[in-house]
Amino acid sequence: MPENQNKLENKEVLLSVKDMSICFGKGKYLFKAVDSVSFDIYKGETFGLVGESGSGKTTIGRAIIRINPTTSGEVIFKGKKINGKIDKQLDRDVTRQIQMIFQDPMASLNERAKVDYIVSEGLLNGEKLPESERKARVEKALSEVGLLPEFASRFPHEFSGGQRQRIGIARALIMQPEFIIADEPISALDVSIRAQVLNLLAELQRERGLTYLFISHDLSVMRFICDRIAVIHKGVLVELAETEKLFAHPLHPYTRALLSAIPLPDPAREKNKVLEVYDPTQHDYSTDKPSWVEIEEGHFVWGNEKELSKYREMLKA
Amino acid sequence: MEYTMDNPILSVRGLNIKFNLRGRTLHAIRDVGLDLYKGESLAIVGESGSGKSVFVKSFMGLLDANGWVDSGEILYNGENLTKFTTEKQWLTVRGKQIAMVLQDPMTSLNPLKTIGAQIMEAIELHQGLHGEAARKEMISVLVDVGINDPERRAKQYPHEFSGGMRQRVVIAIAVACRPQILICDEPTTALDVTIQAQILGLIRNLKEKYNLTTIYITHDLGVVANVADRIAVMYAGDIVEIGLCEEVFYQPKHPYTWALLSSLPQLGIKGEPLYSIHGTPPNLFNEVKGDAFAPRNPQALKIDFVKRPPYFEVSPTHKARTWLLDPRAPKIDPPEAVRKLATEGVKGYA
C-alpha cells in the first residue's frame, strides 16, 4: 500500500463540502435529506460514501454536480464555490470537470440514440467541434473503455450490461473530467462483470490521476477500491476514516452494525458471526449536543462529549 | 433440523428445459440432476442467465408459456411433476407443498389489498381455515415473521411498509401455506445490508420452526456462506459443481467455481487488478460442445472443447463436472486467491 500512503500525504483538497444541508419540500412537508455534512476529497483519491437506501448518499452526489440545489452550506471545487448561484462560465467548467456514472446502465442510456450520440452529447454543449474531431474523440473514449470504434453506430439494446456500463463511463471520460462521481456503478452488474468494471475504473484513475467519489452500499467492494470511507446514516455523516482504519477501529455504533452485517464469502466466519444491531435511541442528545469531531488524525466521528470520551477509550484499548 | 443425505424430498433426473424464442430453440437447462434432502438448505449460485431461476420455477410449473420440459423427471413424494398437464394438478403442489419468495417485495404484493387480506387468502386456500380461525392464524404468522403490532399492521397496505417489512410480509404469505419446501429467489438483493442480515436470520428461524427445506437462489457468495448447507454452482444451464458449503468454498474443483471465487473483491489485493472472467457465457441457442466454460477458461484442456465431462466424485457429498478430476488430466492448481481463502479466510472487521 505504499502508493496509497503517498496519495494521502501530499494532500491537495480538490473538493470540499462544508456544512451542506439539502431539504426537499417545505412547511409541513419539509424533509431534511442531508443534514450539515462536511468532508474534503483529496486529489487522486477514491472517496467512498456508504449508507443505506434513503440515507442521502446519492443526494450528496447530485448536489455536488448541481442537479439538486443545496439548502445551506458550501461546495468548493478547486477553491471556487460551485453551489447556489454561480456565473455561466463557471457552471460550464464545472459541468465539464465533474462527471457522473450512474447505477443502472439499462436506464441511464437513451434507448433511441446511437452510442455515437450518447457518448458525445456532452461535447455538444461546449464550443462547436468539427465533425471529424468529434468522431475522433468518440472513438478514443470508446477504445479507452475497451469497446470497439464500430460500436458507435449501434443502439444501447445491442449491448450487454457490462458493455453498457462502459458506454456510461466513456460518456463521462469524453469530457476529460478531473472528478467523477460514480453512483453505485457496479450494483446492477453481474458478479463476473463487476471485476471488469472495477479494474477499468482503477486503471483510468492510475493513468489520468482521476479523483472518484464512489457511492455505494456495498462495503466489501468499497474496501477493495476506496482510500477513505465516509458512513452516512439518515442524512448525517456518522464516521469518516481511511479504509483500513475504519475496518480496524469502527467507533460509531452504526458503523459497527453496518460492518458486522456484510456477508463474507467464508462459511467458517459467516456461520459464527455476531450481528450488531444499531438502535438509534441509544443516543441521548437532549442536553449534550453531538458534533462532527476529528477524534484522531484523519478519523472523524459524530457524537456528543460523553460518547466521544467513550470512543477515545476504545481507540486506546 | 438436521438432515440426512438418504432421504430426498425432491429428485430431479436428467432434466432438459427448452424455450421457444422467435422460432429458435433455447436449451436453458441441459440434462440436470439434483437430489434435495429433507431439512437441508441448498444454495444455487450462478450468473444471470445461468438458468438457476428457470430450474426452480419448473418445480412449481411456473415456466413461461414458451418454455417446456423437454425430457427428464421431477419427483416429489413419488409423483412425477413433469407429467402434470392442468393447473388443477399444479395447485396441489404450488404454494401447498413448494412455496416461493421472490426478489422484489414491491412487485410480488398486491398494492390494492391489505396485507392481512393477502395472507388470509393463502391461509384460507391452503389450510382450509375460515373466518376468525383464519384471522388468528394470520396474526400469529405476522408475529412469526417479526412484524410488531400485527393487529394494526394487518389493516395496512403494502405501500405503508418499508422494503424489509414488505419482504417479511411476502415470507409470511409463503409460510402461511405451510409448505414443505421454501424457495427463496434472491430474497435480499433489493434490501440494505443490515436488513438483509435480519431477513436471512428470519428465514433460518422459520426453517427450524416449520421444518422447512429451503432452496436459495443467489449470486452473492457472502449470502451463500451464511445460509447454505450445500451449494450447487450453475453455469450455462448445468450444475457444474455441487458439494457441502465448506467443500465448495475451501476445496472447489471446477474452474468456473475458481473463477467465481477469485473475482470476489473480498479476496482481491488493493492496488492490484481483480481477477475477472473474460468473454461471455455461451449462447444457449447453439449446441454447447464439451465443457461450457472452456472458451472462457485460459487453462482449458483439449478435451474440454470436444467432450462434455461427466461428474467426478471428490467425496461422497462433493462432485464436479470437469476433466481436471480425471486421473489422466494434468495437475492444475486452483488460483492463488482460492488457495488463500482455504488457508486464511477473508478479512472481517475487528
Side-chain angles (χ1 to χ4, degrees):
Chain A
M1 288 227 301
E3 202 190 336
N4 282 328
Q5 222 75 56
N6 264 334
K7 240 189 239 173
L8 295 180
E9 258 163 36
N10 39 40
K11 296 173 184 179
E12 182 193 329
V13 177
L14 182 75
L15 181 102
S16 178
V17 172
K18 286 182 183 154
D19 271 326
M20 180 172 79
S21 296
I22 300 164
C23 298
F24 293 112
K26 52 185 162 188
K28 206 169 104 189
Y29 301 105
L30 187 85
F31 177 73
K32 214 166 196 182
V34 176
D35 194 354
S36 50
V37 299
S38 304
F39 57 87
D40 290 337
I41 297 180
Y42 303 123
K43 199 170 162 48
E45 77 167 339
T46 303
F47 184 89
L49 193 55
V50 65
E52 298 185 4
S53 46
S55 60
K57 56 189 193 300
T58 297
T59 308
I60 291 179
R62 290 169 66 95
I64 292 172
I65 204 169
R66 298 173 55 77
I67 298 175
N68 288 133
T70 53
T71 307
S72 64
E74 286 186 323
V75 181
I76 295 171
F77 180 67
K78 298 215 283 188
K80 284 187 189 137
K81 179 171 178 283
I82 58 163
N83 62 327
K85 279 210 172 80
I86 58 173
D87 64 68
K88 252 195 171 149
Q89 185 52 42
L90 183 59
D91 187 24
R92 202 165 268 173
D93 288 348
V94 169
T95 336
R96 191 187 68 71
Q97 288 170 354
I98 307 180
Q99 287 290 311
M100 197 152 178
I101 300 169
F102 297 93
Q103 170 171 4
D104 187 352
M106 295 296 166
S108 63
L109 303 178
N110 184 349
E111 284 293 332
R112 305 184 59 175
K114 287 184 179 162
V115 169
D116 181 53
Y117 176 78
I118 293 173
V119 172
S120 65
E121 191 174 10
L123 292 175
L124 304 178
N125 291 321
E127 64 244 58
K128 288 270 171 291
L129 284 173
E131 180 62 11
S132 59
E133 167 76 10
R134 190 188 64 86
K135 278 239 154 73
R137 287 226 204 156
V138 171
E139 260 177 39
K140 185 160 167 276
L142 286 178
S143 72
E144 273 170 337
V145 296
L147 295 176
L148 298 171
E150 58 258 37
F151 288 179
S153 57
R154 296 194 189 167
F155 287 98
H157 71 258
E158 298 175 64
F159 296 93
S160 67
Q163 286 175 320
R164 279 163 165 254
Q165 196 58 299
R166 285 162 191 269
I167 295 172
I169 296 173
R171 165 171 68 182
L173 284 181
I174 202 165
M175 303 302 288
Q176 297 175 319
E178 287 178 45
F179 182 52
I180 290 184
I181 299 172
D183 189 0
E184 305 259 17
I186 61 163
S187 308
L189 303 179
D190 227 322
V191 243
S192 67
I193 313 291
R194 286 183 180 189
Q196 294 175 17
V197 174
L198 281 180
N199 287 343
L200 175 65
L201 289 173
E203 195 185 304
L204 292 169
Q205 180 170 48
R206 257 197 314 278
E207 283 168 7
R208 306 179 158 213
L210 289 172
T211 307
Y212 292 129
L213 170 59
F214 194 91
I215 299 171
S216 176
H217 66 272
D218 188 343
L219 267 164
S220 38
V221 170
M222 296 190 111
R223 185 181 207 176
F224 179 68
I225 69 158
C226 293
D227 298 305
R228 293 190 303 145
I229 295 178
V231 183
I232 184 168
H233 180 245
K234 297 213 165 136
V236 180
L237 280 189
V238 296
E239 196 160 356
L240 189 169
E242 280 173 36
T243 304
E244 283 311 312
K245 195 175 260 174
L246 189 81
F247 276 83
H249 304 288
L251 296 176
H252 196 277
Y254 178 69
T255 314
R256 300 182 66 86
L258 206 56
L259 292 179
S260 78
I262 316 174
L264 298 169
D266 183 350
R269 248 173 188 289
E270 192 61 24
K271 292 206 162 117
N272 300 312
K273 81 167 170 189
V274 189
L275 261 187
E276 288 190 33
V277 178
Y278 177 56
D279 175 15
T281 56
Q282 64 184 266
H283 304 288
D284 178 14
Y285 291 153
S286 52
T287 49
D288 195 355
K289 296 285 178 221
S291 55
W292 182 234
V293 178
E294 183 167 13
I295 196 158
E296 57 177 334
E297 205 201 334
H299 191 167
F300 295 80
V301 66
W302 175 256
N304 59 19
E305 274 314 312
K306 195 171 151 220
E307 287 169 341
L308 288 173
S309 56
K310 193 177 92 194
Y311 297 154
R312 282 191 192 98
E313 285 303 308
M314 284 164 73
L315 280 176
K316 270 183 216 152
Chain B
M1 187 168 76
E2 279 300 308
Y3 69 96
T4 48
M5 291 192 54
D6 51 7
N7 186 14
I9 182 170
L10 183 100
S11 282
V12 182
R13 301 261 175 272
L15 190 69
N16 282 286
I17 296 176
K18 292 183 175 172
F19 285 85
N20 192 346
L21 282 168
R22 290 179 224 107
R24 298 170 72 196
T25 307
L26 183 135
H27 201 163
I29 298 294
R30 303 181 301 126
D31 190 22
V32 174
L34 175 76
D35 279 327
L36 184 69
Y37 301 104
K38 193 160 172 46
E40 77 164 331
S41 164
L42 173 80
I44 303 179
V45 296
E47 296 173 58
S48 47
S50 60
K52 50 195 194 307
S53 284
V54 167
F55 184 52
V56 296
K57 276 185 179 166
S58 70
F59 305 167
M60 301 175 72
L62 287 176
L63 293 180
D64 289 344
N66 60 344
W68 69 95
V69 174
D70 200 56
S71 63
E73 341 183 278
I74 303 168
L75 296 167
Y76 177 79
N77 274 347
E79 215 172 348
N80 185 357
L81 303 186
T82 58
K83 292 275 179 286
F84 282 3
T85 46
T86 60
E87 269 306 278
K88 204 174 157 198
Q89 285 174 311
W90 276 116
L91 283 178
T92 60
V93 173
R94 192 186 297 154
K96 228 178 211 86
Q97 304 291 338
I98 308 177
M100 196 155 175
V101 173
L102 294 168
Q103 174 172 351
D104 188 353
M106 193 68 188
T107 49
S108 41
L109 291 172
N110 183 343
L112 300 177
K113 279 180 153 184
T114 63
I115 62 117
Q118 297 186 50
I119 299 172
M120 292 262 280
E121 192 183 322
I123 292 170
E124 286 169 1
L125 198 63
H126 292 292
Q127 294 188 34
L129 298 172
H130 291 280
E132 186 56 24
R135 209 189 63 84
K136 274 219 176 87
E137 177 65 23
M138 181 263 290
I139 298 293
S140 93
V141 174
L142 279 178
V143 173
D144 280 346
V145 296
I147 289 179
N148 293 326
D149 198 0
E151 297 277 353
R152 185 177 61 84
R153 294 294 255 171
K155 296 194 191 96
Q156 293 183 325
Y157 290 87
H159 75 266
E160 297 173 81
F161 288 76
S162 66
M165 282 297 156
R166 239 180 257 145
Q167 195 60 302
R168 285 173 195 263
V169 173
V170 175
I171 294 170
I173 294 174
V175 298
C177 308
R178 290 292 149 81
Q180 294 293 314
I181 302 174
L182 181 67
I183 300 173
C184 307
D185 189 351
E186 305 267 7
T188 56
T189 312
L191 305 176
D192 285 320
V193 265
T194 47
I195 309 296
Q196 163 172 289
Q198 292 170 16
I199 297 289
L200 294 178
L202 170 70
I203 298 177
R204 192 169 319 134
N205 291 341
L206 292 173
K207 175 176 176 284
E208 293 300 313
K209 181 159 183 193
Y210 292 99
N211 285 333
L212 297 168
T213 305
T214 47
I215 303 178
Y216 289 85
I217 298 178
T218 175
H219 60 257
D220 186 333
L221 286 165
V223 170
V224 173
N226 183 303
V227 302
D229 295 323
R230 282 200 307 149
I231 301 174
V233 181
M234 269 194 116
Y235 183 75
D238 188 15
I239 293 179
V240 294
E241 181 158 8
I242 183 165
L244 298 178
C245 186
E246 286 73 15
E247 289 173 327
V248 174
F249 270 99
Y250 300 139
Q251 291 132 34
K253 298 295 178 200
H254 198 282
Y256 178 64
T257 317
W258 292 350
L260 214 52
L261 289 169
S262 314
S263 59
L264 285 169
Q266 289 96 332
L267 293 176
I269 299 163
K270 214 171 181 161
E272 284 176 26
L274 195 57
Y275 177 84
S276 70
I277 310 175
H278 294 282
T280 50
N283 184 344
L284 294 177
F285 280 116
N286 305 331
E287 185 69 33
V288 176
K289 242 189 152 200
D291 184 340
F293 186 60
R296 301 173 80 184
N297 179 9
Q299 291 171 303
L301 309 172
K302 266 191 198 133
I303 190 168
D304 280 335
F305 294 95
V306 184
K307 200 168 172 212
R308 186 179 186 188
Y311 281 115
F312 288 92
E313 201 167 270
V314 183
S315 78
T317 50
H318 185 190
K319 57 184 182 173
R321 249 193 219 275
T322 166
W323 286 115
L324 288 181
L325 292 171
D326 190 283
R328 290 161 292 177
K331 194 170 154 40
I332 294 180
D333 280 325
E336 203 198 323
V338 172
R339 275 178 283 150
K340 215 174 93 188
L341 175 65
T343 50
E344 296 166 30
V346 296
K347 291 183 290 182
Y349 90 106

